[in-house]
Amino acid sequence: MKLRRLRNMDGWYEVMSICPICGHKGWCAINKEQTIVHCMRVPSDQYFESNMGRQFRHELVLGSIPSHEKIEIEQVNAVDKKNNAHLNRVYRALTNELCISVAHENHLREERKMSDDTICVREYRTMPESERWTIAKEVGKRLNSDSDLLGVPGFFVQEGKYGSYWTMSGSSGLMVPFRSIQNEITGWQIRVDSPPLELDLKGAVKGTIKKEIEKDHIGNRRALCELTVGGKEIEVQLTVKDKKVCMQDDQLIFSVELKQAQRYWWWSSGSKTNGASIGGPIPYHLALPSPCLSYWKSDNDPASLIDCSEVWVTEGALKADKAADGLLKPVFGLPGVGSYPLILEPLKKLGCKHVVIAFDADSVKTPEVQRALELCAEYFSANTNMKLSLAMWDISLGKGIDDLINKGFVPQVSLLLE
């Protein structure tokens, strides 16, 4: 298990490998005794608010983490994240040095059904694979000095043959900006071009991925893997979405599944020298309809451009952007379904009276998201006088609200809290 010491919580570590509760990487934390996990994704009855968002407490049962599992603690040489105004100044300079690739433009145009004008005004960019130090250098020139990159997630100092220099972290992919209600760019997520493959192992089995091989005849990714079962090592080819399960007397012996790791990652450099984590707090994203963006200056109240008495909420910045254009409403994009406390104060500042939750059609049927919705209703009931509604649609019309809008439909709205 890979851990990173938390700067503001003594005896606690961020889980950089797989969280034993939600099965995802990053955000979640574990205590040094390995008995309690603060998970950011799976709700529980015990939780607390932090500058990272709502954290749910889970007690680990004995044996959740094998006693023989090696613990690796990353050395942290990062610094605190700068304020939003500073981040915005640096990230605006970055947008002048980066462009968007033809492949990413085509994705937004063909898959997301966005116009060229929308792609331009929303300032999507591409994180290149190489020569990133040259971009960091040019960004530094646009600012007062290279030192302005200190405390800005994504930038860090690298040691080279001729000394140290500033460069940028992250996988190559489509960069999606997160905007505050002041239209400050306060962070980015990268839609990774080629997410890594990983093994999901349960029961009496161990395994590693040796290498990725050619895709199958219908385009599914495959990998050559080495498994250890009952003390014997075997080499197998696994395909994404093809789960192997071994049962005996209706009991699970082991299961193996090759998965594609998560597609969206925060652009962050919290594990790098002079880098910064995206947390403290995690950014939220406010999307306005694209025609508003040309008039939305940093000192402009969004309510002067569009009616903010009703605000929609979904998960993810790209979905929020698409929903804002389809609904002609302001839409918040959350970094996770349980992170709604991040937008309470922004909603109040906008003068919002009615919040409409529009999570994916399939996700709202899962126990975790259902619990998150219950907690959301309790939270808004205790802290605001706003109405809370749930947007619903048949999944055959689209998984996300962006898919629904692309097909020319809008969701039904059911009142949760009046």
Side-chain angles (χ1 to χ4, degrees):
M1 177 182 288
K2 293 183 179 180
L3 305 176
R4 180 193 297 165
R5 194 183 307 276
L6 290 173
R7 295 165 60 86
N8 58 347
M9 292 180 66
D10 187 38
W12 284 84
Y13 300 85
E14 184 179 2
V15 181
M16 304 308 297
S17 52
I18 300 297
C19 170
I21 301 300
C22 66
H24 293 280
K25 294 182 180 180
W27 290 22
C28 304
I30 190 169
N31 64 348
K32 63 182 179 181
E33 295 82 12
Q34 299 178 36
T35 57
I36 299 171
V37 169
H38 291 160
C39 182
M40 298 288 290
R41 301 174 180 89
V42 177
S44 70
D45 291 335
Q46 298 183 59
Y47 55 86
F48 66 96
E49 312 298 345
S50 74
N51 58 13
M52 295 280 286
R54 175 165 287 186
Q55 299 195 33
F56 299 96
R57 176 188 169 97
H58 297 265
E59 293 189 10
L60 291 177
V61 298
L62 188 64
S64 297
I65 301 175
S67 58
H68 62 269
E69 183 171 349
K70 183 179 179 182
I71 303 296
E72 300 177 25
I73 299 179
E74 290 186 2
Q75 181 67 33
V76 177
N77 296 309
V79 299
D80 291 335
K81 184 173 75 170
K82 292 292 181 67
N83 61 42
N84 284 353
H86 185 94
L87 298 180
N88 181 63
R89 188 166 68 89
V90 175
Y91 288 149
R92 293 289 180 180
L94 177 67
T95 61
N96 290 315
E97 296 300 330
L98 288 177
C99 59
I100 184 170
S101 69
V102 173
H104 290 153
E105 276 190 333
N106 288 340
H107 167 77
L108 293 171
R109 190 182 298 115
E110 296 167 10
E111 301 296 326
R112 305 281 175 168
K113 311 300 181 186
M114 291 185 179
S115 69
D116 290 348
D117 288 343
T118 296
I119 295 170
C120 179
V121 76
R122 292 206 180 277
E123 299 181 293
Y124 303 118
R125 294 294 186 266
T126 292
M127 175 57 68
E129 292 186 7
S130 60
E131 301 298 315
R132 297 180 183 180
W133 67 271
T134 61
I135 297 168
K137 184 176 181 180
E138 293 304 313
V139 171
K141 287 180 180 178
R142 289 180 177 272
L143 306 169
N144 294 332
S145 70
D146 285 353
S147 64
D148 284 342
L149 302 180
L150 187 69
V152 178
F155 292 95
F156 70 100
V157 170
Q158 181 83 49
E159 290 297 327
K161 182 178 179 180
Y162 301 105
S164 60
Y165 59 93
W166 283 96
T167 187
M168 304 187 301
S169 65
S171 301
S172 59
L174 173 65
M175 297 183 70
V176 183
F178 274 59
R179 302 174 188 272
S180 72
I181 61 172
Q182 285 81 36
N183 195 18
E184 300 163 318
I185 298 179
T186 59
W188 301 79
Q189 278 190 345
I190 298 179
R191 184 183 186 275
V192 178
D193 289 332
S194 183
L197 296 175
E198 58 188 26
L199 285 175
D200 183 9
L201 305 171
K202 292 182 173 64
V205 61
K206 297 180 182 178
T208 58
I209 297 173
K210 295 187 68 175
K211 65 177 180 179
E212 186 169 356
I213 58 178
E214 73 279 359
K215 295 179 180 178
D216 67 10
H217 67 285
I218 58 174
N220 289 321
R221 296 173 70 184
R222 300 190 303 162
L224 186 64
C225 303
E226 189 172 80
L227 304 179
T228 302
V229 181
K232 296 179 61 176
E233 292 186 355
I234 56 175
E235 197 172 81
V236 296
Q237 292 182 6
L238 297 177
T239 304
V240 170
K241 299 180 181 179
D242 183 15
K243 188 173 183 178
K244 308 295 184 183
V245 180
C246 177
M247 305 286 293
Q248 184 175 337
D249 298 329
D250 295 328
Q251 296 293 318
L252 174 70
I253 304 301
F254 69 84
S255 69
V256 179
E257 185 175 5
L258 183 67
K259 290 185 174 182
Q260 183 171 273
Q262 62 192 67
R263 171 76 75 171
Y264 291 89
W265 291 88
W266 284 111
W267 190 44
S268 183
S269 50
S271 62
K272 309 288 187 179
T273 300
N274 286 344
S277 170
I278 193 66
I282 289 284
Y284 61 81
H285 174 61
L286 176 61
L288 299 186
S290 51
C292 295
L293 290 179
S294 299
Y295 305 96
W296 190 18
K297 308 304 179 185
S298 59
D299 57 347
N300 278 4
D301 180 357
S304 67
L305 302 173
I306 188 171
D307 180 11
C308 293
S309 61
E310 180 178 289
V311 178
W312 287 55
V313 178
T314 190
E315 185 181 12
L318 270 177
K319 286 180 182 177
D321 288 346
K322 186 66 187 182
D325 283 339
L327 299 167
L328 296 179
K329 299 278 187 181
V331 181
F332 274 109
L334 296 179
V337 295
S339 58
Y340 46 83
L342 292 172
I343 62 171
L344 176 61
E345 292 306 316
L347 283 168
K348 289 179 178 179
K349 290 179 181 178
L350 291 176
C352 177
K353 305 298 183 186
H354 182 200
V355 179
V356 183
I357 304 294
F359 294 149
D360 286 358
D362 60 343
S363 67
V364 296
K365 296 180 180 179
T366 65
E368 293 84 2
V369 178
Q370 286 180 348
R371 181 58 179 147
L373 287 171
E374 292 172 3
L375 292 171
C376 181
E378 292 175 11
Y379 182 80
F380 274 82
S381 176
N383 293 283
T384 77
N385 293 318
M386 301 175 195
K387 290 196 299 182
L388 184 69
S389 294
L390 179 65
M392 298 180 296
W393 61 93
D394 193 294
I395 194 171
S396 65
L397 300 176
K399 177 183 175 183
I401 190 169
D402 51 340
D403 303 318
L404 185 73
I405 286 170
N406 281 340
K407 292 184 178 179
F409 296 97
V410 294
Q412 295 181 331
V413 176
S414 176
L415 191 63
L416 292 176
L417 182 68
E418 188 166 9

